Amino acid sequence: MSAYQQPDASGHFGPYGGSFASETLTHALHELRAAYARYQNDPEFQAEFRHELAHFVGRPSPVYHAARTSRELGGAQIYLKREDLNHTGAHKINNVIGQAMLARRMGKPRIIAETGAGQHGVATATICARYGLECVVYMGAEDVKRQSPNVYRMKLLGATVVPVESGSRTLKDALNEAMRDWVANVDHTFYIIGTVAGPHPYPMMVRDFQSVIGQECLTQMPGLLAEQGIAAEQPDVVVACVGGGSNAMGIFHPYIDRTATRLIGVEAAGQGLDSGKHSASLQRGSSGVLHGNRTFILQDENGQITETHSISAGLDYPGVGPEHAWLQEIGRAEYVGITDQEALDAFHHLCRTEGIIPALESSHAVAYALKLAPTMAPTQSILVNLSGRGDKDIGTVADLSGVDFYDRPSLRGHTVKGGRE
Ligand SMILES: *Cc1c(COP(=O)(O)O)cnc(C)c1O
């Protein structure tokens, strides 16, 4: 039994978390909490979840020793938990499968989700196709324009993508629209949230589904460390990037009781933590209520959410999961910032030195490991959660490098049969 038992029965992690939602959603949230409580420890549910993860996602994902990088830096051994190898290219699918399985058991044939960069939308559309569920994804109209490959992916998978034209036409507007839909259609609709945010039980439930990442590491690390002649069974440090915080909670949670392992979350410092252009809610934010829970948010004196910035769309969120606010407060986890430039440098480093193209989000975690490793001994180790692959980001990187890889005259003017709208 773990000594760390969070959240409490009302979904609080200390002063954070809880459930701030309109009265119309009280019943839906109550119903969801009851369903999750029922299936959380149900052997049949858990067995099906494991089966899905093994056969559809491809778990367990390997842990890879970045030997060349470690040798070059001359410090701690760096290991990468390869969530980038999952089906759909990131950790998000783990959580989406769990929630879709709950939706089926609750008799809800219609799924809604909101997405910023489109990664959560793609994962949701994927599982809806697999289970034959209706799928509606809300996306800010600005993001629809910026993320057209992911919009097309969702459409190929049979989802309806609804561009949201209100407000700044980005993620927070899509969130409001998804909430509105849920209120109106709650009897037959399940709302799949993509990170450890939202009202209770979402932060706990998403963490639990993602904890498979850290659980696998607990069994994978002893053998890998022994191969390098390292006496410790577990890494000295675990590092993960933090947007909403789900990949970080997934790898942190099984390590919380193992206090010999430092837990470090990496926020997007954008153009610098003091530039006003970043997404570092834990380091530069303050306590407030956002998306149904109390947490750290980026807000001005009047409590208005401020504009966020990051090179990686997946980290560009003005809040953070409430459990991270709590782990920071009790000192169990530390949170640091990595700038756009540092993330980009780490992206190129991993491409050239290890043959792995990482997501720009994950590149933030890699960048911090590259900084930390030289300050440690070669007999120590750092485990990085490589949350996703970088295929989706090569356009961004090419733009920043002034490269136009779509300029392929030889392919222009050709059409093929079989296109479908
Ligand atoms: C969405 C995303 C993130 C950020 O979300 P978290 O909830 O903080 O994990 C990080 N990495 C990748 C690859 C993502 O797609």
Side-chain angles (χ1 to χ4, degrees), residues 28 67 114 285 375:
E114 95 292 318
T375 70

Side-chain angles (χ1 to χ4, degrees), residues 180-230:
R180 223 163 282 154
D181 180 313
W182 201 28
V183 169
N185 301 296
V186 71
D187 54 319
H188 67 293
T189 298
F190 189 105
Y191 181 17
I192 297 190
I193 293 185
T195 191
V196 284
H200 181 57
Y202 283 103
M204 169 182 78
M205 182 170 72
V206 176
R207 172 200 74 192
D208 292 349
F209 289 140
Q210 291 291 4
S211 289
V212 63
I213 302 172
Q215 283 155 8
E216 287 174 3
C217 292
L218 281 180
T219 60
Q220 291 167 314
M221 288 309 296
L224 288 163
L225 292 171
E227 265 176 36
Q228 300 306 311
I230 295 176

